[in-house]
Amino acid sequence: MFYSHHPSLGLLLASAVPVLDPASKDAKAIGSLFLIVFLVCLAILAVISALICTSLYRFRAQDNNFPPQNFGRHGSETLWAVPPVLIVLTFSLLSAKLIVSDSAGAGDPDIVVVGHQWWWEVRYPGSRAVTANEIHIPLGRRLRVRVESADVIHSFWVPQLGPKMDMIRGHPSFVWLQADGAGIYQGACSEFCGDQHAWMRFLVIAEPESQFKRWLERQARPALGAANDTAQAGRNFFFAQTCANCHAVGGTSAVATAGPDLTHLAGRRQLAAGILDKTPENLARWLKNPQEIKPGCQMPNFNLNDDQVNELVAYLEGLR
Ligand code: CUA
């Protein structure tokens, strides 16, 4: 492919444009097409700029005479009509070919991802595992992902791993997801969806099959109980307050799905769709006032005092 013949240029652009640092066959094809279109457009820009500059110089006003006008130059008209049509046609055909070969079709999904304002719900059909903002996948396998929305239109995109796919309420779509190298890949919502669209991020963690299986098996287990008195106080507070109206904790009476599932919250790398690293300090900051960190998000400020926050952190940090 074009892309692989130009590794140095690819590397240069890859640092700025993740789509040019692909880690799957699908993403490679998209990266190549992007580079072809980009370079052709760059060449067109150079030619047009040169022509404009030449014209400005050669035909600049030298006296007050209106320059002679030439109408109906058949040669030039053909020249500026035919090549652009051919270029656009070529781009269209290349894109159409890629869209067709990339299509995941409709079928049994390996993973279901539901977009919410402003976070990602992740389910694994056939397993009880439910997580949020973090998708684990086994290395080298082409997985069919069904994407949906719980509210407005979002768009699922992991630039290094595959194409974008819009997430539309009541209309599931399918997209391939594959990683050929182990690692953590950034994903993001790429359709404007309200206040916190910019903080609707997620991670894709690609790991060897055996490691993935262990992870999935752990995620499917019910939540651990409270490990100490502080955590128990936090647990009591969690169920006495309104937390369970929005969140689920596997194996308890909390089963709501309006907010992220918290069953294994403590094992995740980030909080609130990428805005914070998941540390006990950040979890406390979040509980103290989510609106300060992510204004407009669906979780209100409950005006919790420091003791309540500490107890809740002790409980939630035990959910591994
Ligand atoms: Cu969801 Cu933008």
Side-chain angles (χ1 to χ4, degrees), residues 187-201:
C189 179
S190 57
E191 180 73 55
F192 181 70
C193 55
D195 290 4
Q196 292 295 339
H197 160 70
W199 281 114
M200 188 162 166
R201 309 276 182 92

Side-chain angles (χ1 to χ4, degrees), residues 19-20 25-35 98 102 157 159 161-164:
V19 77
L20 292 177
K25 199 173 120 283
D26 290 328
K28 237 175 227 153
I30 294 168
S32 296
L33 183 59
F34 172 79
L35 207 58
L98 189 57
D102 250 7
W157 193 31
L161 303 185
K164 277 180 195 176

Side-chain angles (χ1 to χ4, degrees), residues 62-194:
Q62 284 156 337
D63 44 46
N64 285 328
N65 291 337
F66 201 64
Q69 302 293 299
N70 297 306
F71 293 101
R73 291 186 65 166
H74 201 256
S76 348
E77 280 169 15
T78 311
L79 196 66
W80 70 59
V82 175
V85 169
L86 289 178
I87 292 171
V88 171
L89 209 63
T90 309
F91 285 174
S92 313
L93 288 174
L94 288 174
S95 307
K97 190 174 151 249
L98 189 57
I99 290 169
V100 170
S101 66
D102 250 7
S103 166
D108 290 340
D110 300 292
I111 303 173
V112 175
V113 181
V114 185
H116 294 255
Q117 285 175 313
W118 291 278
W119 61 281
W120 309 81
E121 175 187 340
V122 184
R123 295 180 176 273
Y124 290 80
S127 160
R128 281 219 295 272
V130 186
T131 182
N133 308 324
E134 196 175 292
I135 305 175
H136 286 239
I137 59 170
L139 263 183
R141 248 204 300 147
R142 207 180 193 201
L143 303 164
R144 183 184 277 115
V145 181
R146 190 175 81 208
V147 298
E148 306 168 4
S149 172
D151 37 56
V152 301
I153 299 177
H154 303 277
S155 184
F156 178 89
W157 193 31
V158 193
Q160 286 179 273
L161 303 185
K164 277 180 195 176
M165 188 52 73
D166 274 7
M167 313 170 87
I168 299 158
R169 188 186 168 110
H171 179 91
S173 305
F174 296 83
V175 65
W176 293 120
L177 185 66
Q178 177 174 351
D180 293 329
I184 301 177
Y185 301 91
Q186 292 279 349
C189 179
S190 57
E191 180 73 55
F192 181 70
C193 55

